[in-house]
Amino acid sequence: MNVKYSQKKYNLKIKEYLKHNELYYDKNSPIISDEQFDKLKAEILRFESNNLNLKSKDSPSNTIGFKPSKNFQKSRHRERMLSLSNVFNAEDLRNFEKKIVNYLDLKNKNNLEYSVEPKIDGISASLTYKKGVLIAGVSRGDGQDGELITENLKTIKDIPKKIENKNFPDDIDIRGEVFIKNSDFEKLKNKFANARNAASGSLRQKDPAQTQKIPLNFIGYTYGFFESNKLKKQSDFIKNLKNWGFKTNQFNKVITGIDNLLKYHKEFEAKRDKIDYDIDGLVYKVNDFNLQKRLGFVTNAPRWATAHKFSAEKSFTQILNIEVQLGRTGALTPVAKVKPVSIAGVVVSNATLHNEDEILRKDIRIGDVVEIERAGDVIPHVISVDLSKRSKDAKKYIFPKKCPSCGSSIIKEFNYSTKKYDAVKRCSSQDYECDKISIEKIKHFISKDALNIDGFGKKVVEKFWDLKFIRTPNDIFSLDYNKIEKLDGWGRLSSNKLKYSIDNSRNVTLDKLIFSLGIRHIGQENAKLIAEHIENISNLEKIDKNFNFNSFLNIDGIGDTQVNSLKSFFLNKNNIQIIRKLSKILKIKQNIKPKNGKFKNKTFLITGKLEGLSRAELKNIIEKNSGKILSSVTNKLDYLIVGLKPTPKKVNKANDLNIKLISQKQFNDMLE
Ligand code: IVH
């Protein structure tokens, strides 16, 4: 073969290889099968071994395994991008304020001022300006790391590239929502399912010229990093945003009092159809920055803000069948399979019936015409039956007497705080003794908030379970990729990609691991508290039936419900085995608590009522400064903070043990 010809042919093959590589990894839309792709690679390698002078830097022999998407660079947010809690009705909203009032120990409960802002249903972005120049634009990502999409964001006309205003901070992240107007979306309807997808798709185009083709808008509403913020209120910040040249929402308002918030919500809901972009609720933010700072965050949402969603969309449809679904905690949830119906642009074919009592109370039967509601991201549910449409054939549903997966008996648990039996029925078997529960537990283990194993979806868990590849979470780390590669619909590429994600997920923090174990009543926030309490993995491994579980009650936020659940989890040998195996496989990082604060190695206990702040807030202040809270007066205690009407027993004991008693004022002086 002539050399020139070989070179040309080789170059063409490499070009083809690069194209498919990109389609597969960066665009997630391969147009050839894995087999064909493997064949192409093999051809190139053979070519190279026959023509030793030929080897491109892009040769597959230079790229080992899977390379992560190179479309966008990852970029860490200087301040995390948080999400918002939701409220759906007046009661939720009153509770939201009650928690704030309690936490801050506010005397006058009726004068909390809120910045009220429409919640645009778009894509949030963070823009970094240094000396007035837009130097970086980042997508939200997982809140910690986003994608660097500066060039795409720069194509949006509402985003200033350079700000000359003298008052504009030297170093600031401006955050807001990127969205598309409904009238513009009309023209793109056949390309995207909804306006939000269109905005997201457009923003993540590889080529900014493609982004520019779709008319995106930007409205600013908050900040991330903000060098020397001297402003006092959110509403002042919004005013400044406008002066600096950003678009802000014309419907933003400052409102005091829950009744007034509810009034504005009602008015707004009535007119939201007339606004040319999707709004899914109102955001209420405590207006005073000082109070925001005191309130702080819970997991990944601020205590000082919430989103009040607009009421859900409803529709009528028919129940075709009722099935019972088994969840990872053993709960048996009846689900109505309904004739598919579109509710606010989403096709619904399942609706939850919650539990047996609900079915009986609403007298829901198979064949009934029912009204279904879909609120936000929550699973649609059946509201009521249209009895006028009930046919003679409508069939009563008989709830199973045994677990449909493992045949164990079904139980109702007694709830010690409500002093009643739960409405939910559960499979009585222990963790990992029931197949379906095991599958659901593994799904939880790999899910986004847990180990977050990319490309390992629920369907893959089911398939690997059926093939007996996995039985418990630790099996994920000893998968046989030679077998996986040969499965239908797989291939070397997809199997490499999975291996890459699984290997990546080995680095976890202790709280993530605890959360991913799927212990009932132990959500992300509780997992964090427990991780900080037990400090490291070897302490977790030591927990068995002899452990003093009541020591968990010392943690503020952990109560009897959680302790009972932890107890039953650790009484099960399977669970202990799994933790021991995982501890060998994973690289578990300790949750780092700031250790160098003012109160390092100092312990505190509070007795009596405090003034101007709650115990929860004082406790957070102590912990933020590396101090520790104890639950009783022992000789390990350094300070007893004595408020109004203290418990005499505690004060006496502290005196006996020569422990320092301090007033709230003295504590404040120590903090200064
Ligand atoms: S403030 C710390 N303000 O809602 C508070 N967010 O669920 C978080 N959003 O990712 C951001 N309008 O995309 C804030 N006026 C507004 C908003 C808003 C829409 C979105 C944003 C965020 C999500 C939080």
Side-chain angles (χ1 to χ4, degrees):
M1 209 187 288
N2 118 11
V3 176
K4 226 168 150 190
Y5 174 77
S6 304
Q7 176 78 55
K8 214 168 151 190
K9 193 164 174 201
Y10 176 76
N11 289 350
L12 278 173
K13 290 269 170 222
I14 289 284
K15 215 169 142 190
E16 203 183 334
Y17 165 71
L18 287 177
K19 178 178 116 185
H20 292 299
N21 204 33
E22 188 189 335
L23 281 169
Y24 189 91
Y25 287 122
D26 290 344
K27 300 229 166 88
N28 246 330
S29 55
I31 51 171
I32 57 171
S33 70
D34 281 356
E35 260 163 74
Q36 284 170 304
F37 189 64
D38 282 352
K39 219 170 117 193
L40 175 62
K41 275 204 299 192
E43 252 175 51
I44 295 175
L45 297 180
R46 211 174 323 116
F47 224 109
E48 283 171 4
S49 58
N50 294 338
N51 303 271
L52 291 176
N53 55 335
L54 288 181
K55 188 156 172 185
S56 153
K57 68 169 181 15
D58 293 322
S59 157
S61 51
N62 286 338
T63 47
I64 311 152
F66 166 66
K67 272 204 308 210
S69 167
K70 48 183 184 342
N71 267 8
F72 300 107
Q73 228 177 303
K74 264 196 174 179
S75 172
R76 174 138 307 184
H77 297 295
R78 294 192 284 181
E79 292 287 338
R80 269 198 315 144
M81 280 183 96
L82 299 155
S83 43
L84 289 166
S85 62
N86 289 321
V87 296
F88 292 98
N89 51 46
E91 192 192 343
D92 292 354
L93 181 59
R94 289 188 203 282
N95 279 334
F96 163 75
E97 190 177 72
K98 207 158 134 196
K99 280 193 199 141
I100 293 180
V101 167
N102 287 343
Y103 189 90
L104 299 171
D105 194 31
L106 295 180
K107 294 273 171 313
N108 190 343
K109 302 183 163 79
N110 299 317
N111 62 359
L112 253 187
E113 192 178 85
Y114 295 94
S115 168
V116 178
E117 305 159 20
K119 184 167 185 288
I120 301 176
D121 192 12
I123 305 294
S124 48
S126 184
L127 311 167
T128 299
Y129 289 86
K130 291 205 176 174
K131 300 220 175 337
V133 180
L134 173 63
I135 60 148
V138 187
S139 69
R140 179 175 191 279
D142 61 6
Q144 180 119 18
D145 298 292
E147 289 167 317
L148 200 58
I149 48 169
T150 319
E151 294 312 313
N152 300 32
L153 286 165
K154 274 187 182 165
T155 66
I156 300 175
K157 61 180 184 334
D158 295 343
I159 294 182
K161 312 328 168 252
K162 194 158 193 260
I163 296 170
E164 312 273 7
N165 190 305
K166 280 204 303 296
N167 297 327
F168 190 62
D170 262 0
D171 190 358
I172 189 168
D173 300 330
I174 302 290
R175 291 175 176 174
E177 208 74 359
V178 175
F179 62 98
I180 186 166
K181 288 191 181 154
N182 288 331
S183 49
D184 288 324
F185 173 64
E186 279 301 307
K187 297 167 220 152
L188 301 160
K189 246 186 164 146
N190 44 13
K191 279 203 188 146
F192 299 98
N194 54 43
R196 192 172 186 276
N197 280 5
S200 157
S202 162
L203 253 193
R204 298 185 72 259
Q205 288 296 321
K206 204 172 173 189
D207 177 6
Q210 294 302 319
T211 304
Q212 199 160 19
K213 283 188 191 157
I214 299 176
L216 294 173
N217 305 271
F218 179 83
I219 275 187
Y221 48 67
T222 194
Y223 54 85
F225 180 84
F226 186 168
E227 195 181 40
S228 53
N229 176 9
K230 300 248 161 41
L231 299 173
K232 296 221 160 14
K233 290 175 176 192
Q234 163 72 7
S235 50
D236 295 340
F237 175 74
I238 291 181
K239 265 186 221 142
N240 274 292
L241 268 181
K242 205 167 169 189
N243 289 338
W244 295 331
F246 291 91
K247 290 255 162 62
T248 54
N249 203 301
Q250 65 179 119
F251 301 105
N252 290 343
K253 230 178 142 142
V254 174
I255 297 178
T256 304
I258 297 291
D259 290 335
N260 294 327
L261 290 179
L262 291 169
K263 195 167 150 240
Y264 189 61
H265 190 265
K266 202 165 163 197
E267 279 167 29
F268 203 92
E269 184 157 21
K271 72 175 172 204
R272 75 161 154 146
D273 291 348
K274 298 189 183 66
I275 298 170
D276 196 13
Y277 43 85
D278 290 341
I279 297 167
D280 54 1
L282 292 178
V283 184
Y284 305 145
K285 301 176 182 170
V286 170
N287 202 19
D288 185 320
F289 279 158
N290 205 3
L291 295 184
Q292 285 191 6
K293 208 168 142 211
R294 281 179 61 191
L295 285 160
F297 308 93
V298 212
T299 328
N300 49 16
R303 273 198 196 87
W304 45 264
T306 195
H308 188 176
K309 292 297 184 81
F310 291 129
S311 64
E313 311 274 344
K314 294 170 193 166
S315 200
F316 284 94
T317 184
Q318 192 188 14
I319 298 189
L320 304 174
N321 199 5
I322 295 178
E323 289 173 6
V324 59
Q325 275 176 8
L326 186 51
R328 73 179 159 87
T329 62
L332 292 155
T333 309
V335 175
K337 301 273 151 186
V338 299
K339 213 182 239 176
V341 56
S342 170
I343 311 182
V346 174
V347 178
V348 172
S349 45
N350 293 311
T352 178
L353 298 165
H354 302 292
N355 54 59
E356 187 184 22
D357 294 354
E358 280 286 297
I359 301 181
L360 296 173
R361 194 172 62 80
K362 294 175 182 160
D363 187 21
I364 297 167
R365 302 184 192 181
I366 299 166
D368 274 347
V369 171
V370 289
E371 189 172 29
I372 286 184
E373 183 180 63
R374 194 181 73 89
D377 308 328
V378 200
I379 307 165
H381 67 274
V382 173
I383 313 172
S384 59
V385 177
D386 182 348
L387 286 175
S388 71
K389 297 217 169 76
R390 175 168 285 169
S391 92
K392 289 193 300 296
D393 308 326
K395 234 174 51 195
K396 280 197 179 172
Y397 175 69
I398 318 236
F399 208 87
K401 301 266 179 293
K402 301 247 175 246
C403 169
S405 167
C406 68
S408 301
S409 56
I410 288 176
I411 48 164
K412 274 189 172 188
E413 284 184 356
F414 188 75
N415 184 323
Y416 288 92
S417 50
T418 59
K419 310 254 179 302
K420 277 192 215 148
Y421 278 95
D422 277 346
V424 176
K425 287 187 164 177
R426 292 175 193 278
C427 164
S428 62
S429 73
Q430 297 280 317
D431 287 346
Y432 298 103
E433 281 168 7
C434 170
D435 282 6
K436 190 71 199 346
I437 295 181
S438 308
I439 296 174
E440 292 307 307
K441 282 181 83 85
I442 298 174
K443 285 181 188 168
H444 172 76
F445 184 81
I446 52 147
S447 65
K448 203 155 182 246
D449 288 333
L451 255 71
N452 189 14
I453 306 183
D454 232 18
F456 203 151
K458 295 182 176 177
K459 288 267 171 298
V460 179
V461 173
E462 282 165 15
K463 184 161 187 173
F464 286 4
W465 178 276
D466 290 342
L467 292 165
K468 303 199 170 63
F469 287 2
I470 47 176
R471 281 296 174 260
T472 48
N474 47 289
D475 295 334
I476 290 172
F477 301 95
S478 44
L479 285 169
D480 182 344
Y481 294 98
N482 290 325
K483 276 191 192 159
I484 293 174
E485 178 183 324
K486 294 191 188 88
L487 296 176
D488 241 13
W490 287 76
R492 174 133 354 127
L493 267 177
S494 353
S495 127
N496 278 349
K497 202 171 168 182
L498 181 68
K499 182 173 186 308
Y500 179 85
S501 313
I502 291 178
D503 285 345
N504 260 349
S505 74
R506 282 178 204 254
N507 287 312
V508 283
T509 47
L510 185 58
D511 68 309
K512 271 261 148 81
L513 172 67
I514 294 174
F515 173 71
S516 55
L517 294 172
I519 309 169
R520 234 174 113 201
H521 304 297
I522 306 296
Q524 283 172 279
E525 182 66 13
N526 284 337
K528 233 183 220 146
L529 296 173
I530 293 170
E532 284 175 1
H533 182 76
I534 60 162
E535 290 180 348
N536 55 44
I537 177 69
S538 50
N539 287 337
L540 185 73
E541 280 183 89
K542 280 182 209 137
I543 302 180
D544 61 10
K545 60 180 193 306
N546 302 319
F547 184 79
N548 172 17
F549 286 93
N550 285 339
S551 66
F552 286 129
L553 289 171
N554 286 340
I555 312 174
D556 196 23
I558 301 284
D560 289 331
T561 313
Q562 286 78 19
V563 168
N564 284 334
S565 171
L566 286 162
K567 238 186 237 173
S568 72
F569 182 87
F570 284 99
L571 281 182
N572 181 341
K573 285 202 189 98
N574 283 341
N575 290 329
I576 294 183
Q577 279 306 320
I578 290 169
I579 292 176
R580 294 197 176 145
K581 283 184 191 158
L582 285 174
S583 93
K584 292 206 181 71
I585 301 167
L586 301 174
K587 275 198 188 143
I588 301 156
K589 279 189 290 215
Q590 232 157 291
N591 283 75
I592 307 153
K593 261 202 287 184
K595 279 267 184 295
N596 287 319
K598 213 167 248 160
F599 300 145
K600 187 180 165 186
N601 298 330
K602 293 280 174 271
T603 57
F604 295 83
L605 180 68
I606 309 165
T607 176
K609 187 162 168 16
L610 303 164
E611 273 181 296
L613 84 174
S614 62
R615 278 191 188 200
E617 187 179 356
L618 185 60
K619 177 180 171 281
N620 281 343
I621 293 174
I622 291 170
E623 287 179 347
K624 255 191 213 146
N625 287 285
S626 324
K628 217 171 159 182
I629 301 278
L630 298 188
S631 59
S632 59
V633 182
T634 65
N635 52 15
K636 286 194 192 129
L637 183 66
D638 295 312
Y639 299 99
L640 181 67
I641 303 176
V642 185
L644 294 170
K645 293 194 190 147
T647 315
K649 228 173 149 183
K650 286 193 180 141
V651 176
N652 293 340
K653 191 160 183 206
N655 276 327
D656 288 348
L657 293 172
N658 257 335
I659 286 161
K660 208 161 180 181
L661 304 182
I662 54 169
S663 66
Q664 193 179 338
K665 160 116 199 352
Q666 283 168 310
F667 173 82
N668 284 340
D669 293 343
M670 277 166 72
L671 193 63
E672 285 300 298

